[in-house]
Amino acid sequence: MTDSAKPTLLVIDGHSLAYRAFYALPVDNFSTKDGQHTNGIYGFLSMLVNLVKAEKPTHLAVAFDTSRESFRTREYTEYKANRSESPAEFKGQIPLLQECLGAMNIPVLLKPDFEADDILATLATQGAAAGYNVLVCSGDRDTIQLVNDDVTLLYPNVQGVSQLKRYDREAVIERYGVPPEQYPDIAALVGETSDNLPGVPKVGEKTAVKWLKQYGSLQELIDNADKVTGVVGGNLREHLDDVRRNRKLNRLLTDVELALGPDELAVNPIDAQAVREIFARLEFRALLPRVLEATGADQATSDAASAPAVAMPATTEPTGADLQAWLEAATAEVGLTVLTERGLPQRLGLATSDSAIEAAWDAEASAVLIPWLVSDAPKIMNDAKAQVKALRRADVVLGGLAFDTLIAGWLLRPSFPDKTLGHLVERFLDETLPEADPSQLVPETEGATPGQLSWFTVRVAEALRADMPDSVTTVLTDIEVPSLLVLADMELAGVAVSHDELSAFSAELGTRADSIAQQAFTTIGREVNLGSPKQLQEVLFEDLQLPKTRKTKTGYSTDAAGLADLQRTNPHPFLDLLLQHREATKLRQIIESLDTAIGADNRIHTTYVQTGSQTGRLSSTDPNLQNIPVRNEESRRIRAAFQVGNGYETLLTADYSQIEMRIMAHLSEDPGLIEAFNSGEDLHRFVGARVFGVDPSEVTAAMRTKVKAMSYGLVYGLSAFGLSKQLRIEQSEAKQLMLEYFARFGAVRDYLRSSVEQAKIDGYTETIFGRRRPFPDLSSPNRVLRENAERAALNAPIQGSAADIMKIALFHIHDELRAQGLASRVLMQIHDELVIEVAPGEWDAAEQIVRTRMGDAASLTVPLDVQIGRGANWDEAAH
DNA sequence: CAGCACACGTA
DNA sequence: CGTACGTGTGCTGT
């Protein structure tokens, strides 16, 4: 009988329940795009949510085995020895499940040398003694012995974990015919095949119960074994040692020393943000709301919002001399928030760690604020770029920017999805930023004022600084913040794009696409949506009976590479028309998106997302100007529509040639590669000559293609398999090519190997300038995850160093153009290329600045080569 | 209507 | 079974 006034302690055997879930749910339906299986985790958490909702435990813990070894295996080496290795698909799931539980603030209990059931037994015993209703949830029958008036067992039925059967004292007696404390006696007699504990031959549950009833206890039975009649009696006498051993081993320990006792297992609010993150990683979606609901986290967050851990200062609104006085008193860094309206400043919030003020952006206040804003007085902002732009539109050039919390958070953890100050407040302060509910006309909770936002920003910065290694702080101060100010200018400047040229091209492509579609329909005798992979699969693999291509999640691939392969082996007019249609519609789509992005000033203003990559690169959105087609003649018409703007003379493009291979040469110190770059010879020709043992003049186009693919592939962690596929050569030939390559450029291989090894030790990689990227998966037991992490870790220092170098060059160029009073300006950055708009008469000066600043942005053991082009449009300016 | 899968553009 | 991105389309599930 449960007493509702008592607290409820729920203790769960994590391993056994997750294992049950693993077999109950189809493994194929539960895996991430990285190949991590998640069915056991999902099933366990799903069961847990149901359990929490139904039982409403006040105290909760999950216990795990630490390994297969325990005091039992030492006592009896055969114990569980028949258990086969758990499937590879299951193994990696336990650590991830423990991570989930961590995020949910549910204690995970482990004790080396003991099994999870011993932990459950100990907690159940302590809990019952301390006045709890105890619920034990386990898939191991041995836990039946724990049931008593205070302890109930929840046992999964054969179907899996969705149904749990409740065993209280009565239910055990009904099912097994003996009280719970006698169940181990039955088990000892019968034996437990799954634990490799043989019992008495021919004795099953029925006989065991009969004997126990007859003799009263196992001890009595053993003492009177000679009185037991029949064949089974003989068997019993022969196996008495087994029975004694079984009974010894199946007794659960109730006095394991644990780090936490029942009273310390009180249910805590979950870390909603952490749960979101890990669920995102595991690609769980439906589960999140269920978890939040069951744990009351959706409620908890709004409660926390009204009660931050540290009291917010009230925001005052000083004016005139008072405002002046506040600014003069704030000698330390000041948090700054510029509230904007349609891209212009509206209100400003300023704060130190104990004071917050705000001011409307009007003539009176700005007269006092502008000198402070443009001064070197140090300022801390969150996601400063948009605010810097707003100020600049008001002709205020912000000075003294010392710290950007959003960028700092990203530098510390580039993989985290933090996008707002609210996220940072949760993660780094463990508090909740008050936010008005936008769905309510009159929100119940008030959002933070700009002054309070600045106050939070200052405090988040303080927390971030404490976590930031020096090298990361240097990257923030010396690379990211200066870049931010330049990116703001670039976005404001935009790039002139001709609507007329784009729309003419778009119309042409539209007509062409329609005509191609009609022809394609004729060849197959029906009309389908050529943009639908699903319908295309029907046409290709059912109607036309073409051989199957690469498998995808939903069927077979219809991508360009696959279609080209099909065309080679099974030529069909439809295939070629489809490819042409794809090309025309894709181009048209890119053109349309660019066209709609052209502003009233005839220019496109992209947004560079400074925190948009894990490596340090920028990304570009709305629209993305970093993926404008270039690889074929026709598509370059799009680039031709990017033109020099009014008041300017020409476009200058500048790009680093082979910057990643140069960084590879620098980092690996490979003498051959260094010589290649110092020789002035074409890189791939030089490498080809070495690899194939010929004179550079004898390197054929085919040889050059091969070493080029090899060189680039190295930077990405390419395998012989991948190389053979890329070059359409035999895997053996690819392997041979790699061997020859490394025979000549061995230091490259050594560097790549050692850099991954170092990353495994450190847990992160580092660029030349100290930018870090953590790689927790390098130590994952899951091979797919681990090998993916290894390739990414191999690439990160190279791609990241290139990104660092380009950012340094970018702001050096910008700053020097300004310093020399030139009007020429940087418009675009495409990873290793810059596009600059040159004002009349400034070509020579601008070219000089660009060449010099890109060339000396970093001092490597090989020179940084810069290619410059000039033209009235982007296509012409390409060299 | 949101989110997924696919396909494809760039460095 | 090669890294890093963003976007548009079709389609499915809420």
Side-chain angles (χ1 to χ4, degrees):
Chain A
M1 289 299 101
T2 56
D3 178 347
S4 59
K6 285 179 163 184
T8 300
L9 168 66
L10 171 62
V11 288
I12 304 174
D13 180 342
H15 195 278
S16 87
L17 271 294
Y19 202 57
R20 294 266 184 157
F22 175 76
Y23 280 109
L25 295 173
V27 72
D28 293 342
N29 297 359
F30 296 90
S31 60
T32 68
K33 59 182 187 302
D34 292 335
Q36 171 65 53
H37 297 290
T38 57
N39 59 332
I41 307 171
Y42 185 94
F44 181 93
L45 291 175
S46 179
M47 173 217 71
L48 178 63
V49 165
N50 291 339
L51 212 48
V52 166
K53 272 181 82 167
E55 308 292 345
K56 301 196 179 3
T58 54
H59 294 67
L60 175 61
V62 182
F64 288 89
D65 306 329
T66 53
S67 71
R68 295 166 74 91
E69 275 81 50
S70 68
F71 71 92
R72 289 189 180 85
T73 54
R74 277 189 284 109
E75 212 148 288
Y76 177 55
T77 49
E78 295 304 301
Y79 181 67
K80 291 193 178 178
N82 59 337
R83 292 226 178 150
S84 48
E85 195 74 358
S86 56
E89 293 85 354
F90 178 68
K91 274 193 165 168
Q93 298 195 39
I94 292 295
L96 288 168
L97 173 57
Q98 292 174 345
E99 221 179 302
C100 290
L101 295 170
M104 294 165 77
N105 276 328
I106 295 172
V108 168
L109 297 177
L110 314 156
K111 181 89 180 177
D113 211 36
F114 296 93
E115 295 184 68
D117 283 337
D118 297 311
I119 300 176
L120 299 190
T122 301
L123 285 172
T125 309
Q126 294 174 348
Y132 290 85
N133 285 320
V134 179
L135 295 170
V136 173
C137 182
S138 171
D140 190 328
R141 279 199 188 81
D142 287 334
T143 51
I144 290 170
Q145 64 187 275
L146 301 176
V147 174
N148 58 40
D149 289 341
D150 298 313
V151 180
T152 304
L153 172 66
L154 303 171
Y155 186 82
N157 69 7
V158 276
Q159 278 86 345
V161 290
S162 53
Q163 298 292 321
L164 295 172
K165 180 154 171 51
R166 284 186 96 81
Y167 283 102
D168 56 16
R169 201 177 170 79
E170 284 67 38
V172 173
I173 294 170
E174 189 186 330
R175 166 69 181 79
Y176 293 100
V178 295
E181 59 275 15
Q182 260 193 340
Y183 175 81
D185 297 345
I186 301 180
L189 289 164
V190 175
E192 183 65 76
T193 17
S194 70
D195 291 343
N196 202 28
L197 296 177
V200 181
K202 303 282 172 208
V203 170
E205 240 172 69
K206 289 267 168 57
T207 312
V209 171
K210 188 184 80 186
W211 283 348
L212 289 171
K213 288 204 164 141
Q214 200 173 335
Y215 292 94
S217 73
L218 186 64
Q219 194 53 56
E220 285 294 311
L221 172 65
I222 292 170
D223 292 346
N224 296 290
D226 54 334
K227 295 183 188 143
V228 183
T229 56
V231 182
V232 284
N235 286 345
L236 171 65
R237 286 184 286 281
E238 275 173 40
H239 290 88
L240 281 178
D241 284 345
D242 283 346
V243 173
R244 288 197 194 92
R245 176 206 63 212
N246 290 354
R247 186 61 186 87
K248 189 170 176 197
L249 289 176
N250 73 16
R251 167 170 292 115
L252 299 180
L253 299 189
T254 56
D255 55 359
V256 179
E257 275 185 39
L258 298 174
L260 301 172
D263 293 342
E264 289 152 306
L265 301 176
V267 171
N268 285 311
I270 67 168
D271 181 345
Q273 187 53 30
V275 171
R276 270 188 205 103
E277 266 161 38
I278 178 116
F279 279 18
R281 195 137 64 81
L282 298 173
E283 298 170 25
F284 293 160
R285 281 164 287 274
L287 205 52
L288 183 62
R290 287 174 59 201
V291 166
L292 295 178
E293 190 211 333
T295 56
D298 42 357
Q299 194 55 44
T301 42
S302 57
D303 290 350
S306 56
V310 182
M312 283 190 290
T315 306
T316 59
E317 195 164 340
T319 55
D322 291 341
L323 180 55
Q324 186 70 47
W326 191 95
L327 290 174
E328 280 165 16
T331 49
E333 293 167 314
V334 171
L336 170 64
T337 305
V338 181
L339 209 64
T340 61
E341 184 84 23
R342 287 183 297 275
L344 288 169
Q346 206 207 5
R347 286 184 82 73
L348 263 56
L350 283 70
T352 62
S353 57
D354 54 13
S355 167
I357 62 166
E358 60 186 87
W361 185 253
D362 55 24
E364 192 197 343
S366 59
V368 180
L369 287 165
I370 288 173
W372 177 79
L373 287 168
V374 302
S375 77
D376 287 344
K379 298 154 188 91
I380 299 177
M381 302 179 74
N382 179 67
D383 199 4
K385 180 150 60 67
Q387 303 170 64
V388 168
K389 284 165 72 179
L391 288 172
R392 200 149 291 196
R393 287 193 192 95
D395 288 328
V396 177
V397 178
L398 183 76
L401 182 59
F403 199 96
D404 185 306
T405 43
L406 192 71
I407 292 174
W410 166 71
L411 286 174
L412 220 44
R413 285 294 152 83
S415 66
F416 282 173
D418 299 331
K419 290 195 165 38
T420 63
L421 181 60
H423 295 147
L424 296 173
V425 167
E426 273 174 38
R427 190 190 307 285
F428 292 100
L429 297 179
D430 201 18
E431 294 173 27
T432 305
L433 185 71
E435 273 173 291
D437 182 351
S439 65
Q440 287 173 288
L441 222 50
V442 183
E444 285 170 23
T445 51
E446 286 194 25
T449 64
Q452 288 163 339
L453 292 174
S454 297
W455 176 75
F456 274 106
T457 304
V458 169
R459 293 176 58 237
V460 168
E462 194 181 337
L464 284 163
R465 273 194 172 129
D467 282 1
M468 284 167 69
D470 289 348
S471 82
V472 175
T473 308
T474 307
V475 171
L476 175 70
T477 313
D478 295 355
I479 299 181
E480 297 301 344
V481 169
S483 298
L484 180 160
L485 299 169
V486 180
L487 294 175
D489 277 351
M490 289 164 62
E491 293 178 12
L492 285 171
V495 53
V497 178
S498 163
H499 163 75
D500 291 347
E501 290 191 20
L502 287 185
S503 57
F505 194 13
S506 171
E508 263 177 59
L509 290 167
T511 314
R512 190 194 308 169
D514 290 346
S515 137
I516 294 169
Q518 287 311 317
Q519 294 174 52
F521 298 154
T522 311
T523 66
I524 56 168
R526 66 180 179 119
E527 296 201 357
V528 294
N529 185 341
L530 296 177
S532 162
K534 188 166 169 278
Q535 294 180 35
L536 288 176
Q537 285 177 44
E538 274 176 40
V539 172
L540 297 177
F541 309 119
E542 289 171 34
D543 299 359
L544 300 181
Q545 287 290 312
L546 293 169
K548 302 280 198 288
T549 54
R550 175 175 60 87
K551 266 202 162 178
T552 68
K553 229 171 196 172
T554 54
Y556 298 94
S557 168
T558 67
D559 66 11
L563 296 178
D565 278 342
L566 283 180
Q567 181 68 306
R568 251 191 302 282
T569 55
N570 299 61
H572 191 285
F574 179 77
L575 295 171
D576 199 41
L577 290 165
L578 175 56
L579 284 167
Q580 288 180 39
H581 185 263
R582 282 252 178 89
E583 200 175 319
T585 49
K586 178 74 180 175
L587 267 189
R588 184 155 190 247
Q589 164 210 320
I590 292 171
I591 293 165
E592 285 301 313
S593 68
L594 288 175
D595 196 31
T596 54
I598 298 176
D601 57 354
N602 294 319
R603 300 179 74 96
I604 290 179
H605 302 264
T606 187
T607 301
Y608 290 103
V609 183
Q610 208 171 345
T611 57
S613 80
Q614 306 223 21
T615 53
R617 278 189 175 182
L618 304 174
S619 74
S620 157
T621 63
D622 306 311
N624 181 357
L625 294 187
Q626 291 179 324
N627 70 343
I628 308 299
V630 68
R631 288 185 186 165
N632 67 61
E633 184 58 41
E634 180 164 50
S635 67
R636 276 185 227 125
R637 273 180 70 182
I638 301 179
R639 292 198 170 209
F642 284 67
Q643 300 172 346
V644 61
N646 287 336
Y648 288 81
E649 190 174 69
T650 189
L651 292 181
L652 180 159
T653 68
D655 64 61
Y656 281 121
S657 62
Q658 292 135 353
I659 188 168
E660 293 189 341
M661 280 305 284
R662 285 169 198 269
I663 289 165
M664 179 88 99
H666 174 82
L667 292 172
S668 70
E669 299 175 322
D670 186 284
L673 208 50
I674 291 171
E675 191 187 335
F677 284 119
N678 286 322
S679 70
E681 179 79 70
D682 169 86
L683 171 72
H684 305 304
R685 185 167 290 280
F686 184 100
V687 172
R690 288 284 176 96
V691 168
F692 293 106
V694 299
D695 193 79
S697 62
E698 296 169 316
V699 173
T700 63
M703 289 154 82
R704 192 175 179 282
T705 304
K706 284 179 182 168
V707 296
K708 186 176 172 183
M710 174 79 205
S711 290
Y712 276 98
L714 281 178
V715 179
Y716 304 139
L718 188 67
S719 62
F721 177 89
L723 187 63
S724 73
K725 233 176 107 175
Q726 154 103 21
L727 291 171
R728 297 185 186 290
I729 58 177
E730 290 299 315
Q731 234 186 102
S732 55
E733 191 189 339
K735 198 153 189 176
Q736 189 58 33
L737 176 62
M738 290 180 83
L739 283 173
E740 297 288 347
Y741 195 106
F742 287 136
R744 304 294 184 278
F745 302 96
V748 172
R749 180 196 43 207
D750 297 344
Y751 159 71
L752 292 170
R753 278 193 189 152
S754 67
S755 85
V756 173
E757 282 311 308
Q758 191 59 42
K760 277 184 189 177
I761 295 164
D762 297 336
Y764 60 85
T765 59
E766 210 166 27
T767 67
I768 297 172
F769 297 88
R771 178 191 305 277
R772 292 186 183 183
R773 176 172 172 191
F775 282 99
D777 284 350
L778 284 178
S779 54
S780 169
N782 181 303
R783 203 178 68 154
V784 179
L785 285 182
R786 188 179 61 250
E787 290 180 349
N788 285 342
E790 284 171 356
R791 285 191 299 275
L794 193 115
N795 174 262
I798 300 170
Q799 191 184 119
S801 296
D804 291 344
I805 291 172
M806 180 50 111
K807 281 176 173 168
I808 292 167
L810 173 66
F811 69 77
H812 282 175
I813 290 168
H814 175 272
D815 291 354
E816 189 161 345
L817 286 170
R818 294 293 82 78
Q820 292 193 18
L822 301 173
S824 301
R825 52 192 183 166
V826 186
L827 302 184
M828 294 194 279
Q829 189 259 42
I830 308 99
H831 307 309
D832 64 2
E833 174 186 6
L834 293 177
V835 178
I836 287 132
E837 201 168 34
V838 182
E842 294 185 1
W843 173 266
D844 289 344
E847 201 230 326
Q848 174 67 24
I849 290 171
V850 170
R851 207 179 271 290
T852 312
R853 292 312 186 186
M854 283 178 79
D856 69 9
S859 164
L860 308 185
T861 51
V862 294
L864 287 172
D865 183 51
V866 181
Q867 303 277 329
I868 304 258
R870 173 182 191 162
N873 65 58
W874 192 9
D875 184 36
E876 266 182 29
H879 20 269

